[in-house]
Amino acid sequence: MGCFSIFSFVVVCTLCLFTLEGNAEPVDDKNALLDFVSKLPHLHDLNWRENTSVCGNWVGVTCSSDKSRVTAVRLPAVGFHGQIPANTLSRLSALQILSLRSNRISGPFPSDFSNLRNLSMLYLQYKQIFWSTAGFTGRIPPSLSKLTQLSSLVLARNLLSGGIPDLGLVNLQQLDLSHNNLTGSVPKSLQRFPSSSFVGNHVLLGKSSHDLPVLIPSSQLSKKPKNGRRLRNTLLQAIIIGCGVLGLVAFAFLFVICCLKGKKEEGFTGKFPKGNMSPEKTISGGQDAKNRMVFFEGCSYAFDLEDLLRASAEVLGKGTFGMSYKAILEDANIVVVKRLKDVSAGKREFEQQMEVIGSIRHENVVALRAYYYSKDEKLMVSDYCSQGSISTLLHGGRDEHRILFGLGN
């Protein structure tokens, strides 16, 4: 009887442990995020609630596979303004990715970020518009050298000043400190990065004396070569002929490109190289208060137009009202972006139509998650269905270039 009781006790304890693991919730990380968002003002509402689960529900938050820790926080362009409150994000000791770019965060760089020892990607660049006082100020803290796992550090377009510390981060693969107020020379350990990483600062790239230009003495400049006038005329004629040839080559190149583009439009193949959002023209990455991504309630995505432009993309198909693309965002989420064309609706009418479409919820209809409106660009963003298109299911892939079924077709 005693053995049976002990066996029952062990079974009950095991079941309790499995139950606790199944309902795992990163409570400490959740409280840290709630403290962060409650102390830092922001324009756009976040669905971060104390009575909801942080993993899989909160916008911009990614958890580990066992849902025990928060590993990524991506909140670009949500309207944060002010200083990052101390002892909030720094408590996320398992954080690997932090992206707060395109917000109006100001004040000194958080010194307690050195506690994020597992951080591998840090994106804190600010998109300055004309004259702006927003952005991080002060020096780049040398304590960043403690982030030994860091592979990407982007602090562009802030108001950082002072010298660039020798961080000694051997795993660093991406660095962008451009358009700050940094001075001094670039440390030797960072000279392996291109000059574009430091453009817009008053820094020296640490070039050796062998790389400096050789100055010609003024006494030699006063000496004129023989037959100087004839030499100048010959040189002028060569320049004119060279410019004429280059102009003809450029014109011929543009003509060939236009012909190929027209041919491609007539015989659409449904394929387009990854990394470009569209074969037709480039979308402007600038957003203002009137033209920004609009998300519907219940959407768990957190991205802006700049994210879509940087996403890897491939053409899915072409319909009556535009082309559809499969876009892979930086957080590995996959969405379908439909770029509308020949739509002459005004902003108010367009938004009303999007609200109607966005309110449709049916198991056989792909939900519209977000849209973007400007005078020149109109985009619709929906979930990606990995099972393929209705055309493929109906016709068995006999015609790869048939129009895909989706919103707007």
Side-chain angles (χ1 to χ4, degrees), residues 4 19 37 62 79 82 102 110 117 120 129 141 145 207 211 215 221 227 232 292 294 322 325 331 352 359 370 372 391:
F4 179 76
T19 303
V37 79
T62 304
S102 301
R117 300 300 177 88
S120 61
I129 303 176
S145 60
K207 294 182 178 180
D211 298 327
L215 298 179
L221 292 176
N227 300 324
R232 284 196 299 270
R292 59 171 177 262
V294 179
Y325 305 89
D331 58 1
Q352 291 175 348
S359 64
Y372 173 81
S391 175

Side-chain angles (χ1 to χ4, degrees), residues 220-373:
Q220 295 184 17
L221 292 176
S222 60
K223 297 180 179 180
K224 295 183 181 180
K226 297 180 178 180
N227 300 324
R229 181 176 299 177
R230 183 183 302 175
L231 198 61
R232 284 196 299 270
N233 291 338
T234 304
L235 183 62
L236 182 61
Q237 293 176 1
I239 291 175
I240 294 174
I241 294 174
C243 291
V245 172
L246 289 177
L248 290 175
V249 171
F251 177 78
F253 178 77
L254 292 176
F255 180 76
V256 171
I257 292 296
C258 292
C259 291
L260 291 177
K261 184 178 178 181
K263 189 174 181 180
K264 190 173 183 180
E265 287 296 325
E266 293 175 2
F268 178 73
T269 62
K271 298 179 181 180
F272 186 71
K274 292 185 178 181
N276 296 291
M277 193 58 204
S278 171
E280 297 173 10
K281 61 181 179 179
T282 304
I283 304 175
S284 172
Q287 294 187 84
D288 53 29
K290 296 181 179 179
N291 297 324
R292 59 171 177 262
M293 298 295 301
V294 179
F295 294 87
F296 290 100
E297 185 177 357
C299 176
S300 59
Y301 298 131
F303 58 85
D304 56 13
L305 184 61
E306 187 175 345
D307 290 314
L308 291 181
L309 290 173
R310 298 195 308 172
S312 298
E314 63 180 78
V315 174
L316 292 179
K318 184 177 182 181
T320 306
F321 296 102
M323 301 180 70
S324 297
Y325 305 89
K326 172 186 173 183
I328 305 177
L329 304 174
E330 67 175 12
D331 58 1
N333 282 320
I334 303 177
V335 296
V336 174
V337 182
K338 187 170 187 65
R339 187 179 187 189
L340 303 177
K341 68 174 184 178
D342 300 330
V343 176
S344 58
K347 186 174 189 295
R348 185 173 181 180
E349 181 183 356
F350 182 83
E351 290 178 342
Q352 291 175 348
Q353 295 293 333
M354 292 300 102
E355 291 295 333
V356 172
I357 298 175
S359 64
I360 299 175
R361 292 292 182 271
H362 191 275
E363 60 181 356
N364 294 329
V365 177
V366 179
L368 182 64
R369 296 303 185 185
Y371 67 87
Y372 173 81
Y373 177 90

Side-chain angles (χ1 to χ4, degrees), residues 74-342:
R74 298 181 179 88
L75 297 171
V78 297
F80 285 126
H81 54 94
Q83 296 188 26
I84 294 180
N87 196 31
T88 54
L89 294 179
S90 59
R91 287 150 52 190
L92 304 175
S93 58
L95 194 66
Q96 299 175 14
I97 301 175
L98 176 60
S99 176
L100 299 176
R101 61 179 179 80
S102 301
N103 287 285
R104 297 181 61 83
I105 297 175
S106 58
F109 191 91
S111 59
D112 57 0
F113 273 16
S114 60
N115 297 328
L116 304 175
R117 300 300 177 88
N118 291 305
L119 196 66
S120 61
M121 297 183 181
L122 182 60
Y123 302 98
L124 299 177
Q125 66 266 40
Y126 174 67
K127 190 172 184 179
Q128 295 176 349
I129 303 176
F130 300 109
W131 177 255
S132 175
T133 58
F136 289 103
T137 58
R139 294 176 174 270
I140 300 175
S143 58
L144 282 179
S145 60
K146 298 179 180 179
L147 307 181
T148 57
Q149 304 299 319
L150 203 63
S151 62
S152 296
L153 177 61
V154 182
L155 303 176
R157 298 186 180 276
N158 282 280
L159 301 174
L160 296 170
S161 58
I164 301 175
D166 191 355
L167 300 177
L169 300 173
V170 296
N171 294 321
L172 196 62
Q173 301 295 325
Q174 179 187 12
L175 177 67
D176 191 353
L177 303 178
S178 61
H179 301 288
N180 281 280
N181 297 320
L182 300 172
T183 56
S185 59
V186 177
K188 188 175 181 180
S189 63
L190 301 180
Q191 291 178 16
R192 56 192 171 94
F193 294 99
S195 58
S196 58
S197 299
F198 311 99
V199 71
N201 294 286
H202 303 285
V203 297
L204 299 175
L205 296 180
K207 294 182 178 180
S208 64
S209 59
H210 298 87
D211 298 327
L212 296 177
V214 179
L215 298 179
I216 303 176
S218 57
S219 59
Q220 295 184 17
L221 292 176
S222 60
K223 297 180 179 180
K224 295 183 181 180
K226 297 180 178 180
N227 300 324
R229 181 176 299 177
R230 183 183 302 175
L231 198 61
R232 284 196 299 270
N233 291 338
T234 304
L235 183 62
L236 182 61
Q237 293 176 1
I239 291 175
I240 294 174
I241 294 174
C243 291
V245 172
L246 289 177
L248 290 175
V249 171
F251 177 78
F253 178 77
L254 292 176
F255 180 76
V256 171
I257 292 296
C258 292
C259 291
L260 291 177
K261 184 178 178 181
K263 189 174 181 180
K264 190 173 183 180
E265 287 296 325
E266 293 175 2
F268 178 73
T269 62
K271 298 179 181 180
F272 186 71
K274 292 185 178 181
N276 296 291
M277 193 58 204
S278 171
E280 297 173 10
K281 61 181 179 179
T282 304
I283 304 175
S284 172
Q287 294 187 84
D288 53 29
K290 296 181 179 179
N291 297 324
R292 59 171 177 262
M293 298 295 301
V294 179
F295 294 87
F296 290 100
E297 185 177 357
C299 176
S300 59
Y301 298 131
F303 58 85
D304 56 13
L305 184 61
E306 187 175 345
D307 290 314
L308 291 181
L309 290 173
R310 298 195 308 172
S312 298
E314 63 180 78
V315 174
L316 292 179
K318 184 177 182 181
T320 306
F321 296 102
M323 301 180 70
S324 297
Y325 305 89
K326 172 186 173 183
I328 305 177
L329 304 174
E330 67 175 12
D331 58 1
N333 282 320
I334 303 177
V335 296
V336 174
V337 182
K338 187 170 187 65
R339 187 179 187 189
L340 303 177
K341 68 174 184 178
D342 300 330

